[in-house]
């Protein structure tokens, strides 16, 4: 279209202002000297200093990362298995229930998943004696369960898109199915597995509601610590924490985007060169 | 190939069919244990009676699993009905607002140059990767009575109304307005991304043909673009509406406590009142009212699409 879509561009500007003004405002106010979080009282970095000297915050952050690494790794293994099962094994007993089970957690309100998991853990402790107390184990189990289905979705859609020509060729050449899976299918979907892990990691790192239900005393993750503080109102040190989070994530995403862009450009260049050589 | 006669029995079994069984069974058993079983417990719990013991429930009566007393209370006590209505109302308004803001943004994203598009898409996704809780928190700072944002909105309001109606500030925190605003803010990417994925695939030559035949841009949009984007609208609305109706964080932080949403009712019944049967019944009702109908709808909708696609593929 040669006409400039003025209205659409205006809406884009408005939308991005809506996205980023609250975040920017929060970042500016993290340098606020006043104790009153919403009244400007001069530039200061004291909230950052108090944040870095706060051992509770550090311990919570470390616990969150531990839980996120363990649960993302387990969720990736289980989720990839489920994705492969749904995409490559067309017929097995209970397939309908299985595909229901991997979609349901995606749309389940978190409160319900939270109380359901908590009741399970309490009853397990009551009648099986394991897990004896709520904390790292119960939170990790709950996180694996609701983040593995995201991995499944990513792996499944990658497998459905990917050609199975190479797999069939390898089969025809006498490879056993398991070898094909190990040497061809898994390498092909490795980018999907990696992004699945990252998604599971961030979901776990970010979760409040399910963690809030399944955790116990002594196992405070960073979101739970923030949650218990912000329930009481706006506090300046949370602004500082938020600013650090946004900066880490922003820089990470920017680097990832730059790397992907570069790889894509290189591939295009290679394709052009190959095309020219073949002419 | 490595020499097969050295393989152990397990290895032979594994190479033949075993790995398939393991691949299916491991996630299957996991989901049954940690997802299906908890829901069976919730369902059973909704028929139990609350007791002051630990764990605080018992199954009694002649028909322990048909004791519907909790459900009677659910219908009779207006607290629950009002909470459902508030949730549905807030979620519907938030979904419509997301659609009104997200649709033009998604359409705009399809019209900018490719390099801009990649940057802007990254900017849509970026807030996703930062903490949900902190994004809600950012609005707590903006909506407070002393904040620059509140002052800005208040002065705009005072400019529009006669002087005697002027306000010192607008009470935004702890209202349903705040819940809707923050819900729109938090879930807008869920609306934009599926809409963009849908709109990007549309055949633009149809629009050009309609333009060439003399249609006005508004007619082209209504007759060509909009009908083709219905799947994207449905997908985006679903992704906003379902979590928005069961939302717990947003109403707890910025919502009104006199008109709670259903997520908060479930959480309070469970944690504060220690009434497991009631919390379970409210959860079951929420699932039956909202989630299950929408899931069934998406399931059949997806089936229909698959059918269209596969028949189209057979023709080609």
């Amino acid at each position: 279209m040669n006409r400039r879509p003025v209205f659409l561009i205006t809406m884009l500007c408005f939308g991005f202002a809506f996205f980023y003004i609250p975040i920017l405002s929060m970042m500016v106010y993290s340098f606020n000297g006043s104790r009153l979080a919403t009244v400007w009282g001069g530039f200061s970095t004291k909230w950052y200093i108090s944040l870095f000297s706060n051992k509770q915050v550090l311990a919570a952050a470390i616990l969150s990362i531990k839980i996120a690494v363990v649960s993302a790794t387990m969720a990736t293994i289980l989720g990839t298995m489920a994705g492969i099962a749904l995409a490559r094994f067309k017929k097995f007993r209970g397939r309908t229930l299985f595909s229901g089970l991997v979609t349901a957690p995606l749309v389940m309100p978190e409160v319900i998943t939270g109380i359901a998991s908590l009741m399970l853990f309490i009853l397990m402790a009551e009648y099986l004696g394991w897990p004896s107390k709520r904390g790292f184990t119960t939170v990790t189990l709950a996180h694996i369960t609701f983040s593995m289905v995201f991995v499944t979705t990513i792996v499944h859609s990658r497998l459905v898109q990917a050609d199975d020509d190479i797999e069939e060729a390898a089969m025809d050449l006498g490879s056993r199915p398991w070898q094909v899976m190990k040497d061809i299918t898994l390498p092909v979907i490795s980018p999907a597995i990696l992004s699945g892990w990252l998604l599971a990691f961030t979901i776990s790192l970010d979760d409040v509601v399910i963690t809030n239900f399944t955790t116990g005393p002594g196992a405070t993750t960073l979101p739970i610590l923030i949650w218990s503080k912000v329930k009481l109102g706006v506090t300046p040190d949370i602004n500082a924490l938020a600013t650090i989070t946004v900066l880490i994530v922003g820089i990470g995403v920017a680097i990832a985007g730059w790397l992907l862009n570069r790889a894509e450009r290189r591939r295009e260049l290679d394709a052009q060169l190959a095309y020219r050589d073949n002419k | 190939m490595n020499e097969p006669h050295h393989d152990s029995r397990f290895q032979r079994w594994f190479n033949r069919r075993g790995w398939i069984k393991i691949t299916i069974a491991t996630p299957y058993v996991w989901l049954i244990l940690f997802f299906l079983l908890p829901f069976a417990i919730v369902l059973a719990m909704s028929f139990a009676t609350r007791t002051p013991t630990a764990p605080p429930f018992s199954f009694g009566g002649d028909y322990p699993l048909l004791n519907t007393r909790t459900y009677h209370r659910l219908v009779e006590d207006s607290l629950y009905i009002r909470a459902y209505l508030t949730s549905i109302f807030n979620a519907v308004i938030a979904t419509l607002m997301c659609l009104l803001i997200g649709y033009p943004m998604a359409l705009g994203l399809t019209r900018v140059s490719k390099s801009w598009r990649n940057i802007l898409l990254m900017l849509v996704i970026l807030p996703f990767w930062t903490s949900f809780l902190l994004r809600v928190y950012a609005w707590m700072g903006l909506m407070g009575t002393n904040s620059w944002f509140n002052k800005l909105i208040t002065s705009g309001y005072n400019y529009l109304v006669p002087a005697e109606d002027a306000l010192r500030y607008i009470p935004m925190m702890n209202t349903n307005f705040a819940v809707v605003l923050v819900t729109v803010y938090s879930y807008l990417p869920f609306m934009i991304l599926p809409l963009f994925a849908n709109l990007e695939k549309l055949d633009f030559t149809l629009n050009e043909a309609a333009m060439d035949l003399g249609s006005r841009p508004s007619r082209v949009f209504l007759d060509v673009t909009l009908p083709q984007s219905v799947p994207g609208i449905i997908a985006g609305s679903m992704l906003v509406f379902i979590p928005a109706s069961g939302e717990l964080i947003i109403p707890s932080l910025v919502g009104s406590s006199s008109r709670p949403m259903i997520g908060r009712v479930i959480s309070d019944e469970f944690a504060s009142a220690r009434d497991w049967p009631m919390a379970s019944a409210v959860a079951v009702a929420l699932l039956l009212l909202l989630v299950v109908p929408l899931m069934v709808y998406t399931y059949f909708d997806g089936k229909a699409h698959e059918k269209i696609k596969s028949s189209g593929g057979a023709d080609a």
Side-chain angles (χ1 to χ4, degrees):
Chain A
M1 193 155 55
N2 3 6
R3 295 153 36 87
R4 283 223 147 275
V6 179
F7 169 70
L8 298 180
I9 303 290
T10 317
M11 279 308 283
L12 272 179
C13 295
F14 168 77
F16 281 108
F18 178 55
F19 271 142
Y20 283 97
I21 284 176
I23 296 176
L24 287 177
S25 169
M26 185 167 66
M27 291 167 91
V28 170
Y29 273 92
S30 72
F31 295 103
N32 184 5
S34 164
R35 273 203 72 77
L36 290 165
T38 53
V39 182
W40 185 254
F43 181 86
S44 157
T45 53
K46 63 178 173 188
W47 304 118
Y48 288 90
I49 295 166
S50 87
L51 189 69
F52 283 119
S53 55
N54 189 337
K55 290 217 171 61
Q56 219 188 349
V57 172
L58 196 68
I62 290 172
L63 179 70
S64 282
I65 291 173
K66 268 190 203 159
I67 291 175
V69 167
V70 175
S71 69
T73 307
M74 283 295 290
T76 305
I77 296 170
L78 290 166
T80 305
M81 284 175 149
I84 291 172
L86 281 176
R88 286 291 185 260
F89 310 142
K90 292 289 175 229
K91 282 203 185 96
F92 56 85
R93 219 177 299 145
R95 194 178 190 280
T96 317
L97 175 65
F98 189 53
S99 61
L101 281 177
V102 298
T103 37
L106 293 170
V107 293
M108 197 57 67
E110 279 189 302
V111 200
I112 300 182
T113 312
I115 62 162
S117 314
L118 175 54
M119 283 190 213
L120 173 78
F121 292 138
I122 292 177
L123 295 180
M124 275 169 75
E126 185 80 12
Y127 297 109
L128 299 177
W130 184 88
S132 56
K133 65 178 176 45
R134 289 193 298 285
F136 183 89
T137 315
T138 49
V139 173
T140 308
L141 287 174
H143 282 196
I144 293 167
T145 310
F146 84 102
S147 59
M148 65 175 275
V149 294
F150 288 89
V151 182
T152 304
T153 313
I154 293 178
V155 168
H156 179 256
S157 66
R158 180 80 192 87
L159 273 171
V160 170
Q161 283 169 14
D163 264 341
D164 48 10
D165 291 355
I166 310 177
E167 290 167 32
E168 273 174 22
M171 260 345 177
D172 290 344
L173 292 170
S175 291
R176 284 180 296 199
W178 163 243
Q179 278 184 314
V180 176
M181 179 64 60
K182 184 167 57 98
D183 295 336
I184 297 170
T185 316
L186 284 178
V188 164
I189 58 170
S190 59
I193 295 177
L194 181 67
S195 50
W197 189 89
L198 281 174
L199 186 60
F201 180 80
T202 44
I203 288 175
S204 164
L205 205 59
D206 193 26
D207 180 70
V208 181
V209 177
I210 293 172
T211 315
N212 189 31
F213 281 111
T214 52
T215 193
T220 310
T221 63
L222 195 54
I224 295 295
L225 185 71
I226 300 174
W227 171 241
S228 60
K229 284 191 107 171
V230 300
K231 267 199 284 195
L232 305 174
V234 180
T235 57
D237 49 342
I238 299 292
N239 285 338
L241 187 62
T243 305
I244 295 171
T245 315
V246 171
L247 285 181
I248 292 176
V249 171
I251 291 170
V253 170
I255 290 175
W258 181 70
L259 285 176
L260 281 176
N261 216 356
R262 205 179 57 164
E264 196 178 335
R265 224 174 280 158
R266 187 168 294 168
R267 212 179 307 134
E268 274 171 21
L269 202 69
D270 284 347
Q272 278 173 4
L273 285 176
Y275 178 70
R276 208 183 304 153
D277 289 348
N278 280 333
K279 259 210 294 205
Chain B
M1 250 184 256
N2 40 9
E3 299 126 273
H5 55 272
H6 284 310
D7 288 358
S8 69
R9 276 187 63 187
F10 171 77
Q11 240 166 348
R12 263 179 287 148
W13 172 80
F14 182 81
N15 279 336
R16 223 181 312 119
R17 298 283 306 167
W19 64 278
I20 296 182
K21 286 187 178 147
I22 291 175
T23 311
I24 295 172
T26 318
Y28 208 154
V29 169
W30 184 282
L31 284 171
I32 286 177
L33 272 183
F34 292 108
F35 191 76
L36 197 59
L37 181 62
F39 280 95
I41 294 174
V42 169
L43 190 63
M45 190 66 69
S46 68
F47 295 102
T49 316
R50 180 187 171 206
T51 56
T53 55
F57 66 93
S58 74
F59 289 99
D62 296 337
Y63 305 98
L65 281 178
L66 288 174
N67 174 6
T68 54
R69 215 175 318 158
T70 333
Y71 287 98
H72 285 299
R73 251 171 69 208
L74 187 73
V75 184
E76 279 157 14
D77 195 334
S78 67
L79 165 82
Y80 303 108
I81 309 265
R82 269 179 48 201
Y84 281 113
L85 291 178
T86 309
S87 299
I88 291 172
F89 179 78
N90 285 351
V92 166
I93 302 286
T95 309
L96 288 177
M97 291 292 295
C98 279
L99 197 57
L100 282 178
I101 303 171
Y103 197 102
M105 285 183 77
L107 200 58
L109 282 172
T110 64
R111 300 288 159 86
V112 295
S113 71
K114 201 173 173 231
S115 49
W116 266 106
R117 184 185 300 175
N118 285 341
I119 295 171
L120 292 181
L121 270 179
M122 205 152 85
L123 285 176
V124 173
I125 301 168
L126 190 64
F128 248 169
W129 295 84
T130 67
S131 157
F132 183 89
L133 188 56
L134 291 177
R135 276 180 285 148
V136 179
Y137 171 75
W139 276 100
M140 292 174 70
L142 285 185
M143 291 190 298
T145 49
N146 283 321
S147 70
W148 65 266
F149 180 74
N150 202 324
K151 285 188 179 132
L152 189 78
I153 301 283
T154 311
S155 54
Y157 174 83
N158 288 344
Y159 182 76
L160 290 173
V161 297
E164 60 267 25
D165 289 339
L167 293 173
R168 276 184 47 239
Y169 59 83
I170 294 175
M172 285 193 256
M173 279 292 283
N174 305 320
T175 59
N176 267 319
F177 166 78
V179 174
V180 172
L181 177 69
V182 179
T183 307
V184 172
Y185 180 73
S186 309
Y187 290 106
L188 190 53
F190 289 99
M191 181 63 88
I192 294 176
L193 293 174
L195 267 176
F196 170 76
N198 174 273
L199 288 168
E200 191 195 28
K201 275 184 282 184
L202 295 190
D203 190 356
F204 205 64
T205 50
L206 279 177
N207 292 37
E208 281 173 356
M211 293 281 232
D212 289 346
L213 293 171
S215 294
R216 286 210 319 253
S218 56
R219 277 245 72 90
V220 176
F221 173 73
L222 287 176
D223 290 346
V224 181
T225 313
L226 194 60
Q228 291 188 86
S229 61
V230 169
I233 295 177
I234 291 175
S237 303
M238 213 76 100
L239 284 178
V240 174
F241 182 78
I242 295 180
S245 58
E247 183 56 50
L248 174 63
I249 297 179
I250 298 174
S252 299
L253 290 182
V254 303
S256 105
S257 47
S258 60
R259 294 195 57 197
M261 283 175 65
I262 205 71
R264 186 132 175 226
V265 170
I266 295 176
S267 168
D268 285 351
E269 287 290 351
F270 190 82
S272 317
R274 280 182 69 73
D275 193 340
W276 291 16
M278 197 65 224
S280 303
V282 178
V284 169
L286 177 65
L287 284 180
L288 290 180
L289 279 177
L290 291 178
V291 183
V292 172
L294 291 176
M295 272 185 75
V296 169
Y297 172 79
T298 348
Y299 178 76
F300 283 108
D301 198 50
K303 280 266 148 134
H305 276 287
E306 260 170 44
K307 222 174 223 172
I308 292 168
K309 229 186 261 168
S310 60
S311 64
D315 289 342

